[in-house]
C-alpha cells in the first residue's frame, strides 16, 4: 500500500501527479500520469504528450487512492531502485 | 531495530515489483517499450534488495534481452521433452524449465 508515510520510498510510476511549484514557471501546472522515472527526472504523460520534469526544482502533488500528498522533489532525487533504502531526516 | 527496517524495505520492494508488473501488463498493447522498461526496473529492484521474484513473474522476462513476455504475442510456449519451452519472439532465445 502506498501511504503518505512511505510514498518517498514507493513506486511513483502509474500515479497521477501535478507540479504545484517550481523554480521554472513553465513547469507549473503540468498534470498527468507518471510513465517513467530516472534519477533526476519524472516523465509525465499529459494529454498524450510526454513531458520531462526535473525532480530537483519542483514540488509535486501526488494523488493516492484516498488522499493527496505534496512531496518536495528534492527528496525524490535518487535512482528508482535506490530510493527504497534512502534515509531522510 | 535494524532488522525491522530491512523487513520494511523488503516489503516495499515486493509491492513495487507487483505494481511494475501490473503496469507492464496494462501498457503492453499501446506502449510495449514502456512495459519493457518497467520490467527492467522491477528486476533491478529485486536484485538490489535481494528480494526473490516469484516464479510466475520471473518467467515473464526474457533471459536474453530482458523484455516483458506476453504469451501468445511476443512469446511462444510449448511443452517438449518434459520441459516448458518459452521462446522469445523478439530475440529468439529459448528458455527451458523442467516440470515440477
Amino acid at each position: 500500500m502506498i501511504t503518505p508515510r512511505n510514498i518517498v520510498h514507493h513506486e511513483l510510476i502509474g500515479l497521477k501527479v501535478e507540479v504545484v511549484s517550481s523554480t521554472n514557471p513553465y513547469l507549473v501546472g503540468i498534470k498527468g500520469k507518471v510513465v517513467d522515472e530516472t534519477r533526476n527526472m519524472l516523465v509525465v504523460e499529459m494529454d498524450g504528450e510526454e513531458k520531462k520534469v526535473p525532480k530537483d526544482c519542483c514540488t509535486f502533488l501526488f494523488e493516492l487512492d484516498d488522499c493527496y500528498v505534496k512531496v518536495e522533489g528534492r527528496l525524490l532525487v535518487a535512482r528508482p531502485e535506490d530510493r527504497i533504502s534512502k534515509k531522510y531526516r | 531495530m535494524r532488522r525491522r527496517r530491512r523487513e520494511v524495505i523488503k516489503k516495499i520492494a515486493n509491492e513495487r515489483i507487483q505494481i511494475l508488473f501490473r503496469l507492464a501488463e496494462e501498457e503492453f498493447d499501446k506502449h510495449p517499450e514502456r512495459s519493457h522498461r518497467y520490467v527492467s526496473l522491477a528486476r533491478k529492484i529485486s536484485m538490489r534488495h535481494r528480494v526473490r521474484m516469484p516464479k510466475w513473474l520471473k518467467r515473464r522476462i526474457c533471459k536474453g534481452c530482458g523484455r516483458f513476455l506476453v504469451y501468445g504475442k511476443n512469446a511462444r510456449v510449448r511443452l517438449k521433452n518434459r520441459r516448458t519451452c518459452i521462446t522469445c519472439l523478439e530475440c529468439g532465445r529459448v528458455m527451458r524449465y523442467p516440470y515440477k
Side-chain angles (χ1 to χ4, degrees):
Chain A
M1 259 301 276
I2 308 180
T3 58
R5 259 185 91 81
N6 68 14
I7 188 172
V8 189
H9 307 287
H10 223 293
E11 192 56 57
L12 302 178
I13 295 177
L15 294 179
K16 282 185 185 150
V17 74
E18 186 182 351
V19 180
V20 192
S21 74
S22 168
T23 50
N24 174 0
Y26 291 103
L27 296 176
V28 177
I30 288 181
K31 201 175 176 181
K33 211 176 92 178
V34 183
V35 290
D36 203 352
E37 181 187 354
T38 61
R39 185 175 179 275
N40 287 314
M41 293 270 196
L42 283 183
V43 183
V44 179
E45 191 178 55
M46 183 186 180
D47 311 326
E49 215 181 321
E50 287 185 1
K51 305 256 186 195
K52 292 182 177 169
V53 187
K55 292 175 183 174
D56 198 18
C57 65
C58 299
T59 309
F60 299 99
L61 187 70
F62 286 100
E63 185 188 332
L64 301 185
D65 291 336
D66 48 355
C67 59
Y68 290 89
V69 196
K70 206 172 180 183
V71 183
E72 246 185 73
R74 199 168 42 80
L75 301 174
L76 302 174
V77 177
R79 277 181 286 173
E81 67 267 25
D82 290 340
R83 211 154 37 78
I84 300 184
S85 52
K86 207 179 166 194
K87 285 182 181 171
Y88 301 97
R89 49 183 75 156
Chain B
M1 189 60 207
R2 186 170 288 171
R3 182 179 293 168
R4 244 200 81 212
R5 195 178 129 76
R6 205 189 302 150
E7 277 167 18
V8 170
I9 286 176
K10 294 216 165 176
K11 189 169 155 267
I12 292 182
N14 256 323
E15 286 174 3
R16 285 183 71 171
I17 291 171
Q18 303 286 346
I19 290 175
L20 283 167
F21 268 93
R22 206 192 60 228
L23 288 169
E25 188 94 44
E26 287 168 10
E27 294 280 343
F28 185 79
D29 288 332
K30 281 182 186 166
H31 305 280
E33 72 292 340
R34 264 182 212 168
S35 66
H36 303 320
R37 164 86 181 146
Y38 295 166
V39 163
S40 80
L41 279 178
R43 214 171 103 82
K44 272 185 195 163
I45 289 173
S46 98
M47 290 194 293
R48 172 66 48 94
H49 299 285
R50 285 192 270 151
V51 180
R52 261 179 184 248
M53 253 194 249
K55 195 163 63 182
W56 59 88
L57 292 185
K58 209 191 241 176
R59 289 188 181 186
R60 305 207 58 185
I61 304 179
C62 172
K63 287 204 174 174
C65 57
R67 288 208 179 96
F68 183 57
L69 300 178
V70 178
Y71 301 155
K73 291 211 171 131
N74 63 353
R76 187 199 300 140
V77 184
R78 294 290 181 267
L79 306 180
K80 291 177 198 165
N81 298 339
R82 294 200 231 133
R83 289 185 192 86
T84 316
C85 293
I86 303 177
T87 313
C88 171
L89 301 180
E90 313 259 3
C91 69
R93 168 91 181 230
V94 187
M95 289 147 277
R96 298 183 184 86
Y97 303 100
Y99 301 156
K100 198 75 191 267

